[in-house]
Amino acid sequence: MPNTVTGTRTGEASPDAVPRRRWWSGWPDWSACLAVVWSALYGAAALYWALGGDGYPFERVHEDRSSGSILEPSRAEAVAPVLALFCALGVVAGVLMLKNLGTGRVRKALLAYGWAAGIALTLLIPDYSLLGLLAFSPALIVFVFTGVPGPQDLGDIMYWHRGNLMIVFVGGLLWVAATLAYQRRTNGQCVYCGRAPHAPGRWTDAARLRTWGRRAVWLAVLSTLPYDITRIAWYFGWPLGITDEFLKEMQDTPSMLELGLALGVVSTLGSLLTHGLIARWGEVWPRWVWWRKGRTIHPATAVVPAGFVAVVLIPGGLMAVRGFELTSWGETGPAILWAVWGVALGAATYLYYLRRRAVCRSCGQG
């Protein structure tokens, strides 16, 4: 039956209709606004700490409630004013980005601040906490309902110094997104897909993307092996990279070796899943996912979790660099390669995205 308003039959889409964009697809529009809000709120907290307020999250505390951040331990009167100034500059930079202002040196300064803020807040200041919470997330969900076994509670896992690093990490992600959107706008690229009008497609060749993606995947897989091998060796009583005394200490601590073995198994499973970025089962649901088998996998199903894991791996690897000791290389040495794993996984994920991205709803390219 014809629709008198659109001129089409009932149930048919108008040829001029624009597909509705999901809210997360509009990240170029709202990321800068949220980055400004984050900078204003965290800057206000930093000013409060600078004036002697309680709760400064980088002060020296008991080892059980500390973090591995590069800012800890530090004094509030020394660091908090710098954080407040840093956030104040962020508010100004974010407002200018929102209005698409800035040319020449001003634009370069805004991009420099945005990328520096994103990298520092996402990769340099945090520690391994997000990676640990990600690995133990199934157990933590159970603990919410059952409580933590033993004398501990959830407060012993999610304490303020660790929670603050998560807030910092979120701020870094917002600044990366806001800066990327601003850079695309001022470069004349499509802000949603990054394609430039009439640009030569150097990265659109599927064979080239798959070749480089395969190399990145294998680098990511190889970088996990030292961690997996050492943890499995400890479980079976071989002190690979550690002293006999430290192995005996772990053997005498209930569930310590089992925990290390579980982390090694999780790491191995993660490296196996990485193969999906170059395999057919990373594009079409395989038979063992019987409720979805044969259907095309939406790129975001792989890109979002793989990208998040890649980002949280790097701070853990950088933290291991700071704690490395040659005499006990097995403790932190293999974890240093988490940074390599994160970079390689990030590259493989980006190449997978380039290979599978569809026609852009905004610019129509692809």
Side-chain angles (χ1 to χ4, degrees), residues 13-334:
S14 168
D16 296 327
V18 178
R20 295 183 63 184
R21 188 181 294 276
R22 294 181 176 89
W23 66 268
W24 59 80
S25 300
W27 63 267
D29 303 317
W30 48 256
S31 56
C33 183
L34 291 183
V36 170
V37 172
W38 183 93
S39 296
L41 294 177
Y42 203 85
L47 182 60
Y48 170 74
W49 298 325
L51 296 176
D54 295 331
Y56 176 64
F58 300 110
E59 64 184 349
R60 184 181 295 278
V61 292
H62 191 274
E63 185 179 355
D64 293 340
R65 293 299 177 95
S66 64
S67 74
S69 172
I70 59 173
L71 295 182
E72 186 180 334
S74 61
R75 297 179 301 166
E77 58 269 25
V79 174
V82 177
L83 289 175
L85 177 60
F86 173 79
C87 291
L89 292 175
V91 172
V92 175
V95 170
L96 292 176
M97 288 182 181
L98 276 171
K99 297 181 178 294
N100 289 324
L101 300 176
T103 58
R105 293 182 179 178
V106 174
R107 175 182 176 274
K108 291 180 180 179
L110 291 176
L111 290 175
Y113 175 87
W115 286 120
I119 292 172
L121 296 173
T122 306
L123 304 180
L124 300 181
I125 296 178
D127 62 0
Y128 72 102
S129 295
L130 273 168
L131 181 60
L133 291 175
L134 182 65
F136 291 108
S137 55
L140 292 176
I141 294 174
V142 174
F143 292 162
V144 170
F145 300 98
T146 64
V148 181
Q152 294 183 324
D153 56 28
L154 283 177
D156 295 316
I157 300 175
M158 292 297 298
Y159 43 83
W160 169 230
H161 279 224
R162 176 171 284 172
N164 168 70
L165 294 183
M166 296 180 189
I167 296 173
V168 169
F169 180 82
V170 170
L173 292 182
L174 291 174
W175 269 111
V176 167
T179 307
L180 179 60
Y182 175 75
Q183 179 173 296
R184 286 178 174 179
R185 286 193 184 99
T186 54
N187 274 344
Q189 299 170 271
C190 175
V191 73
Y192 295 101
C193 71
R195 295 182 177 98
H198 311 298
R202 291 184 306 166
W203 287 98
T204 58
D205 180 66
R208 178 180 295 182
L209 292 173
R210 191 178 294 276
T211 298
W212 282 102
R214 187 177 295 110
R215 294 171 181 173
V217 165
W218 280 111
L219 178 59
V221 170
L222 291 175
S223 64
T224 69
L225 292 180
Y227 185 88
D228 304 344
I229 292 172
T230 52
R231 271 56 187 174
I232 294 172
W234 299 350
Y235 179 79
F236 289 102
W238 184 22
L240 180 61
I242 57 175
T243 62
D244 293 334
E245 293 76 13
F246 184 60
L247 178 62
K248 182 65 168 60
E249 181 181 343
M250 287 194 292
Q251 291 172 336
D252 294 340
T253 304
S255 302
M256 179 65 73
L257 290 176
E258 290 77 7
L259 179 61
L261 178 64
L263 290 175
V265 171
V266 169
S267 175
T268 301
L269 292 176
S271 66
L272 292 176
L273 286 175
T274 305
H275 283 87
L277 298 174
I278 55 173
R280 177 170 172 74
W281 58 265
E283 301 178 16
V284 178
W285 290 105
R287 288 176 296 176
W288 40 273
V289 187
W290 67 90
W291 63 94
R292 299 284 293 175
K293 66 178 180 178
R295 299 183 183 182
T296 300
I297 297 176
H298 193 286
T301 305
V303 169
V304 173
F308 181 77
V309 172
V311 173
V312 301
L313 279 167
I314 296 175
L318 296 179
M319 174 185 167
V321 173
R322 299 192 295 270
F324 178 75
E325 294 182 5
L326 186 59
T327 55
S328 55
W329 61 265
E331 292 185 55
T332 57

